[in-house]
Every structure is written in C-alpha cells, then in structure tokens.
Amino acid sequence: MQTLIHPTAIIDPKAELDSSVEVGPYTTIGAGVRIDAGTKVGSHVVIEGPTTIGKHNEIFQFSSLGAKPQDKKFKDEPTLLEIGDHNTIREFCTFNRGTIQDKGTTKIGSHNWIMAYVHIAHDCIVGNHTIMANNSSLAGHVTIYDYAILGGFTLVHQFCQIGEHIITAVGSVVFKDIPPYVTAAGYDAQPHGINAEGLKRRGFSAEAIQQIKRAYKVLYRQGLSFEEAKVALADMEKSCPEIGLMTRFLAQTTRGIVR
C-alpha cells in the first residue's frame, strides 16, 4: 500500500492526522495539530499547533500555518488556529494563531480561495466562500464576511470589518469598515458603487440588485447623516430582504464605514 505521507516529512507524535491526509516532502507538522479527512498538504509546509484543519483542504508548498501571533503581548498562551473544509490555500501563505486579548482563536471558514502570499494575522475571522487574491493581508482582529473578494495587494487595518459580497480593487488600503455589496478602491479605500457583477454571478435577481443600488445611493449619494441613512435603509428592508445585510452591518460597525 502506498503511503500518503512522504518519508522526509516530520510529523510530531502528538499530531492527529486522518489516515487519508496526504503530506508532501519536507513538511513539518507539530504537536497539537489535527487534520481531518481528505486534506492535502504540499511540500515544505510548516504547521504548528494548536491548529485544527478540516476536510478536503488543499495547502500548497511553503505555507506557514499556526505560528505564534506577531504580537508583542503574546506570552506563549495556548491559543488556536481553526481552518474549516474545502479551502484552497496557495503558496507562501501565513496564518497566525489568536491571542488571549481577544477570543484566542484565528478562524477561517470553508470554501475559501486564498491565493499566494496572503497573510491572516491573529484573531481574524474569515467567513465562507471568500476570495483573497495574491499578497492581500489582514492585520489583527479583522472580520471578513461571506463571499467577500479582496483584490491583490489589498491591506486591511486592524479591527476592520469587511461585509458580505464586497470587492476591493488591486492595491486598496482599508482603514474603515466596508458595508455589504460595496466596491471599494484606493488609499484610503473609498466606495465606488456596488459589486453588481458579483451579485449576478451569485444569483441575485435583477430587482434585488436594483434595490441594492438604491440603498447604496441612500447611504452615499443623498447627503443623509449616518443615522438618517440607517433609518431609511431599515424602511427599504421591508420590501427587499437583501438590504438586511446592510442594516445589520451598519448597526454594529465600530470603526465607521469607508467614505
């Protein structure tokens, strides 16, 4: 029977790997790492624990997952990195564990497409079905909601929240929260309409997209105060449930939104 673990790989006895996990040459997997069925780990990958990785992920060569957070306050506390199922993690990605100053966990959901050289810092939460293009980076405590797309070289400041179905242009630098559906670009990132093409691809109806465009104008083009815009959007939600993503996001933003 052909082994799925290359003989040059170093697997700590305290790591737990499902029998179907594949591990490439010269990869190192440390104590406290758990990897579920069907996941493939390429060559020269380093995975440190405590880290849990779900089913059917593909991790390409030279990635570093579960290393200590890049935070001077970290004192070797037992924090965690969690990765869900069916993620693609390309070359040279770096995902750090959490810190006790937050929830103690950095969490990546499922079905994410994460390209080369992406950095996800401590205590970040990444949802499902996101795309992070080459060299995009998240500072600590960032939240990325489902179906968000970060263009190449997008940088996100710590504690920012990135809403569902957004897209950023290449080289964007994000210092404020990006509400759902918005297209953002620039340094500082500013809003430039909605991600209409992405919404079409995800099956949003023409009527829903039209209403989301109206909601964008209410938020950004009608000269309303932030509180006035929230009231107006709450009223629009009654006839267009999709706008609920925006109203809920705006209700809990703490850094303010891109302008």
Side-chain angles (χ1 to χ4, degrees):
M1 180 178 177
Q2 183 179 7
T3 180
L4 300 178
I5 298 177
H6 194 275
T8 62
I10 300 174
I11 313 294
D12 191 283
K14 294 181 181 179
E16 300 178 30
L17 276 61
D18 183 87
S19 61
S20 63
V21 170
E22 298 181 27
V23 180
Y26 303 105
T27 282
T28 302
I29 298 177
V33 175
R34 295 168 51 200
I35 306 179
D36 211 335
T39 288
K40 299 178 180 180
V41 183
S43 67
H44 297 85
V45 175
V46 177
I47 306 177
E48 302 177 46
T51 291
T52 64
I53 300 174
K55 298 178 180 178
H56 301 291
N57 297 283
E58 187 169 10
I59 302 166
F60 283 73
Q61 56 268 24
F62 301 105
S63 288
S64 172
L65 308 179
K68 295 179 181 180
Q70 298 176 75
D71 187 319
K72 289 184 176 181
K73 299 184 296 297
F74 184 73
K75 303 297 181 185
D76 288 317
E77 297 90 354
T79 57
L80 182 64
L81 169 66
E82 292 183 1
I83 298 173
D85 305 325
H86 297 280
N87 296 291
T88 297
I89 300 169
R90 295 299 308 232
E91 301 83 355
F92 295 98
C93 287
T94 54
F95 303 171
N96 296 157
R97 301 198 312 273
T99 65
I100 61 169
Q101 285 75 28
D102 200 333
K103 297 180 178 63
T105 301
T106 302
K107 187 171 184 178
I108 290 91
S110 299
H111 299 280
N112 297 294
W113 184 261
I114 301 174
M115 299 187 201
Y117 291 95
V118 167
H119 176 64
I120 299 178
H122 58 86
D123 304 294
C124 288
I125 299 175
V126 177
N128 306 305
H129 300 282
T130 69
I131 298 173
M132 299 179 65
N134 300 314
N135 292 93
S136 53
S137 294
L138 309 182
H141 315 280
V142 168
T143 299
I144 307 286
Y145 289 96
D146 296 352
Y147 293 100
I149 300 175
L150 300 185
F153 293 89
T154 293
L155 307 178
V156 183
H157 192 271
Q158 61 185 357
F159 294 102
C160 283
Q161 300 187 62
I162 309 298
E164 293 92 337
H165 303 285
I166 68 93
I167 188 168
T168 64
V170 62
S172 298
V173 181
V174 181
F175 291 102
K176 300 289 185 180
D177 296 347
I178 304 178
Y181 308 122
V182 169
T183 295
Y187 181 177
D188 305 358
Q190 297 179 354
H192 292 271
I194 69 164
N195 181 19
E197 185 59 35
L199 299 183
K200 291 176 187 176
R201 294 179 182 181
R202 292 177 203 125
F204 281 69
S205 68
E207 174 62 23
I209 293 172
Q210 196 60 36
Q211 291 300 315
I212 292 168
K213 287 181 179 179
R214 286 186 56 222
Y216 176 88
K217 291 178 180 178
V218 167
L219 185 59
Y220 285 114
R221 296 288 184 261
Q222 294 185 359
L224 301 178
S225 70
F226 185 59
E227 294 303 319
E228 290 170 336
K230 287 198 292 185
V231 171
L233 291 175
D235 188 58
M236 292 179 65
E237 182 185 351
K238 297 173 184 176
S239 58
C240 182
E242 290 84 356
I243 294 174
L245 289 182
M246 297 184 78
T247 58
R248 289 187 289 274
F249 185 93
L250 297 176
Q252 51 83 45
T253 181
T254 57
R255 290 187 59 83
I257 61 173
V258 292
R259 290 285 186 180

